[in-house]
Amino acid sequence: MIKIFDLFAGIGGFRIAAEKVFKNKINIKTAGWSEIDKYCQLSYNSNFINNGNYFIDDIKKITSKNNNFCNSTNYNSIKKKEFIKDNLPSFDLLFAGFPCQSFSSMGKQKGFEDERGALFFDIAAILHSIKPKYFILENVKRLLTIDDKKTFRTIISILQNENYDVSWWLLDSKDYGVPQTRRRIFIYGSLKKNKSNFPIDPPKISKKVTTTKSILEKNVDTKYILSKKILKTILKDGSGGYYSKSEIDLEIARPLTRTMVKMHRAHQDNYYSNKFINNEKKLKWIRKLTPLEALRLQGFPDKFYKIAKRNNVSDTQLYMQAGNSVTVNVVEAILNHLIDHGWFK
Ligand SMILES: C[S@@+](CC[C@H](N)C(=O)[O-])C[C@H]1O[C@@H](n2cnc3c(N)ncnc32)[C@H](O)[C@@H]1O
């Protein structure tokens, strides 16, 4: 039995993938999860059975008792370790997609987030205290290069010092069966004493090529169609024309963003026309993605959307949640790859 902790759970992209991949292969149980955003909690709780699972909204309540926030010098303190061990359940596999934060700017800026410290150190504190056999962490590509690569180096060396074999892959969602360009780093590790076969090669790229044609809905509410007024702003500039194929109707969508609900210019977001969707000759309308399509671009099953809607999660929240989540297909590919290398026995 592999017990999992879903940290920074969002809407459970890691968990959906794990429940699918491990099914009929390896027994798993979600020992606990943590997510601070109440709308993410609603989507997550609607879609997963959480009876008796440990839950904490703000992980800092556990890792940073009395506002003693985690940083590079205290994450492995004995006090923290004792408190975390007493309060979190034990588990074997940690999932965590965490915000990209530069360590060198910590403390210099007075922002709330900075005062609370980088969330990576909360991960480090948990690994130090619970010592799960495995972890998979996700982050944006930029984490590799900020602060002249110092932040990334620090992360890897802390993980290694915690006695893990550690490596990372930069993977693009479009290579794993969803039509979205989305480059993310996945840092993975296994406790040295496990002696697991440690793969360096990335998960095999999917042979199946999918395009956005396969995820776009044919008939949608007119509210998704852009008004003439907004069209002008959205399609302005770019390659010059009012309607430019290089800007909209992309077969492989641009990276979804958390803020896609706010509508950006066409060179940042994804817009589609009747020409592309319905194979029509004449341009009649251009529309934005629906929340269902956004979730599909992250590999979520349609039932996830239906259940969230039934539980009153708004379109706005669903766009943000989809833009923030990990691509389910990529996690599936990683887990399958690791199982093939003898992990999780
Ligand atoms: C990059 S997202 C991870 C998304 C997730 N992997 C998914 O598939 O949806 C990071 C998540 O961490 C949550 N978060 C941020 N600070 C937190 C904290 N202190 N405690 C718990 N969750 C937190 C955010 O609300 C956000 O949903």
Side-chain angles (χ1 to χ4, degrees):
M1 155 89 76
I2 292 284
K3 285 188 267 170
I4 297 174
F5 197 93
D6 201 3
L7 179 59
F8 310 129
I11 53 171
F14 276 107
R15 181 159 171 189
I16 290 211
E19 289 188 353
K20 189 164 157 200
V21 168
F22 286 117
K23 197 172 179 191
N24 303 328
K25 280 189 195 152
I26 295 165
N27 256 339
I28 58 163
K29 177 181 162 40
T30 296
W33 62 293
S34 171
E35 172 51 55
I36 202 166
D37 179 274
K38 66 176 183 197
Y39 300 108
C40 285
Q41 290 167 16
L42 180 57
S43 287
Y44 192 99
N45 263 324
S46 315
N47 271 284
F48 298 104
I49 300 165
N50 282 315
N51 299 347
N53 289 349
Y54 174 89
F55 167 73
I56 184 82
D57 48 3
D58 183 356
I59 196 65
K60 288 188 187 285
K61 288 181 184 167
I62 304 300
T63 51
S64 307
K65 200 181 160 222
N66 300 330
N67 292 350
N68 177 20
F69 296 121
C70 294
N71 59 36
S72 61
T73 53
N74 70 6
Y75 75 88
N76 51 5
S77 75
I78 292 170
K79 258 194 171 165
K80 278 196 191 292
K81 182 173 174 174
E82 277 171 1
F83 191 77
I84 294 170
K85 273 189 96 160
D86 286 349
N87 284 278
L88 286 189
S90 73
F91 55 88
D92 312 287
L93 167 60
L94 177 73
F95 291 139
F98 62 108
C100 172
Q101 285 163 306
S102 132
F103 298 165
S104 74
S105 63
M106 289 290 137
K108 286 185 198 150
Q109 292 165 23
K110 295 242 159 58
F112 176 63
E113 275 305 317
D114 281 340
E115 279 171 23
R116 282 166 49 101
L119 286 166
F120 171 73
F121 294 113
D122 301 82
I123 295 177
I126 290 172
L127 290 175
H128 179 78
S129 313
I130 308 283
K131 279 277 144 48
K133 292 180 188 134
Y134 312 97
F135 63 77
I136 303 176
L137 315 178
E138 184 231 13
N139 213 297
V140 294
K141 189 178 159 217
R142 205 171 72 84
L143 185 71
L144 288 172
T145 48
I146 47 169
D147 306 334
D148 281 339
K149 306 185 184 160
K150 277 191 216 113
T151 293
F152 193 68
R153 263 189 234 126
T154 309
I155 287 177
I156 299 294
S157 78
I158 286 177
L159 295 171
Q160 285 170 336
N161 287 342
E162 286 300 322
N163 216 19
Y164 287 92
D165 284 320
V166 183
S167 192
W168 54 273
W169 294 304
L170 177 61
L171 304 177
D172 192 335
S173 299
K174 78 168 169 29
D175 294 329
Y176 297 94
V178 293
Q180 182 199 173
T181 305
R182 190 179 188 84
R183 292 190 195 94
R184 290 290 184 271
I185 316 165
F186 291 87
I187 308 171
Y188 56 103
S190 110
L191 261 188
K192 281 208 166 86
K193 68 168 191 220
N194 278 345
K195 299 206 168 52
S196 2
N197 181 346
F198 197 82
I200 296 297
D201 53 311
K204 270 199 201 73
I205 285 175
S206 158
K207 288 201 180 89
K208 207 175 97 195
V209 179
T210 49
T211 75
T212 46
K213 288 234 184 225
S214 64
I215 65 98
L216 289 166
E217 299 181 80
K218 291 267 181 223
N219 299 306
V220 302
D221 195 293
T222 49
K223 71 181 176 192
Y224 298 109
I225 294 180
L226 306 185
S227 69
K228 282 217 171 100
K229 199 171 148 205
I230 203 162
L231 255 184
K232 270 200 189 126
T233 322
I234 281 179
L235 300 179
K236 209 162 31 182
D237 297 326
S239 55
Y242 174 80
Y243 169 70
S244 146
K245 195 173 179 347
S246 65
E247 292 280 288
I248 65 165
D249 290 346
L250 291 182
E251 292 202 334
I252 305 291
R254 292 191 174 87
L256 300 187
T257 62
R258 200 186 132 72
T259 53
M260 76 183 111
V261 69
K262 287 195 182 139
M263 311 258 273
H264 298 112
R265 297 275 170 85
H267 58 89
Q268 277 173 288
D269 258 343
N270 296 290
Y271 299 100
Y272 289 91
S273 72
N274 64 301
K275 288 174 76 171
F276 184 81
I277 297 173
N278 299 333
N279 295 321
E280 290 169 352
K281 286 232 159 68
K282 204 167 166 256
L283 177 68
K284 291 186 195 144
W285 46 255
I286 296 175
R287 70 165 174 86
K288 58 180 177 179
L289 293 175
T290 65
L292 173 64
E293 291 165 343
L295 283 162
R296 283 176 177 169
L297 282 173
Q298 291 285 44
F300 282 77
D302 285 6
K303 75 169 190 233
F304 187 97
Y305 168 80
K306 283 182 199 139
I307 295 173
K309 282 310 278 180
R310 218 186 293 144
N311 285 278
N312 300 320
V313 183
S314 69
D315 274 15
T316 306
Q317 289 303 329
L318 282 170
Y319 281 122
M320 281 169 48
Q321 293 172 0
N324 225 6
S325 83
V326 65
T327 307
V328 175
N329 300 40
V330 179
V331 180
E332 279 175 26
I334 292 173
L335 292 175
N336 275 320
H337 190 57
L338 295 174
I339 290 174
D340 288 348
H341 279 81
W343 284 40
F344 313 122
K345 272 186 195 143

